[in-house]
Amino acid sequence: MLATCLFMACSSDDDIFVTPVVGEVNVLLIQSDNGKTSTGTMYKSGEMYNPPHGYLGGVIRYNDGNELTVYHMNFGANIKGSDVFNILNISLESNQPMSFNNLKAGDTFDSSQFHATAAYTPTWTEAIMRVATVLSGKVTVVGTRNVGDKSYMTLRLTDLRFDAIDHTCIYAVNGTIEYEIYE
């Protein structure tokens, strides 16, 4: 049985963000610095949008006329039920090919080591998504597991802070997400 306890940590009146120490998997707590709170859940297999997934990719970039391949390890999730963000993407980059097998439980990355975006569109059909880029926060590998021929990796998101789409506040995103790994 999964414990669904959340512990609130406040160091001052200016720091009102809730930091889950243990929480329900695939549920995000999104709280603003002005007191607005939203929760979002991840889609499951068979629902309208893909469940959280991890995948590898690469792009060719040019730097001073030289071709450079940049490899990506991406974690994408569509969020339902939140009026703040609909999509959350996290990406690690390297100049060497990457593998999910290189990540181990306890590996922690701060926002200077990954790129993350959160997006919101009220209708899901707008031509232009409104996207915010992570300001600070941490991502920690909780662990991995295999079920049949599928692999999963669980990440804990700690105080991923994003500017609101309308720039009226800062949101902190906290939670634990299990990603199906597409290799």
Side-chain angles (χ1 to χ4, degrees):
M1 181 175 228
L2 179 65
T4 58
C5 302
L6 296 177
F7 297 98
M8 296 180 84
C10 294
S11 59
S12 71
D13 291 339
D14 296 330
D15 187 9
I16 63 165
F17 293 108
V18 175
T19 303
V21 176
V22 178
E24 187 175 348
V25 175
N26 290 341
V27 176
L28 293 178
L29 178 61
I30 305 167
Q31 188 171 14
S32 75
D33 59 358
N34 64 8
K36 180 179 179 177
T37 299
S38 179
T39 57
T41 58
M42 303 301 107
Y43 284 89
K44 297 176 184 165
S45 286
E47 290 186 320
M48 183 178 217
Y49 295 96
N50 287 332
H53 55 282
Y55 58 96
L56 300 174
V59 296
I60 296 174
R61 294 186 183 157
Y62 293 92
N63 184 13
D64 294 329
N66 296 318
E67 188 177 289
L68 172 69
T69 302
V70 179
Y71 298 92
H72 296 269
M73 182 179 295
N74 300 294
F75 297 92
N78 291 313
I79 303 166
K80 65 180 176 178
S82 170
D83 59 350
V84 178
F85 297 119
N86 298 116
I87 299 171
L88 178 65
N89 289 304
I90 299 167
S91 179
L92 301 170
E93 290 186 357
S94 175
N95 60 357
Q96 300 294 317
M98 302 174 84
S99 171
F100 289 102
N101 294 329
N102 293 337
L103 296 181
K104 305 294 182 225
D107 287 351
T108 300
F109 304 91
D110 70 35
S111 60
S112 68
Q113 298 170 298
F114 63 87
H115 179 74
T117 57
Y120 179 73
T121 178
T123 65
W124 281 89
T125 58
E126 290 182 28
I128 298 173
M129 301 272 316
R130 297 178 188 123
V131 179
T133 301
V134 72
L135 303 170
S136 63
K138 293 184 181 181
V139 173
T140 301
V141 178
V142 174
T144 59
R145 70 184 182 107
N146 294 313
V147 177
D149 62 347
K150 295 183 179 182
S151 297
Y152 297 88
M153 180 172 286
T154 303
L155 302 179
R156 180 177 302 116
L157 314 179
T158 306
D159 287 333
L160 294 186
R161 295 182 188 216
F162 296 92
D163 195 5
I165 300 301
D166 62 4
H167 307 290
T168 59
C169 62
I170 303 292
Y171 284 101
V173 177
N174 288 284
T176 303
I177 302 177
E178 182 176 66
Y179 296 87
E180 182 178 344
I181 301 303
Y182 304 155
E183 292 246 27

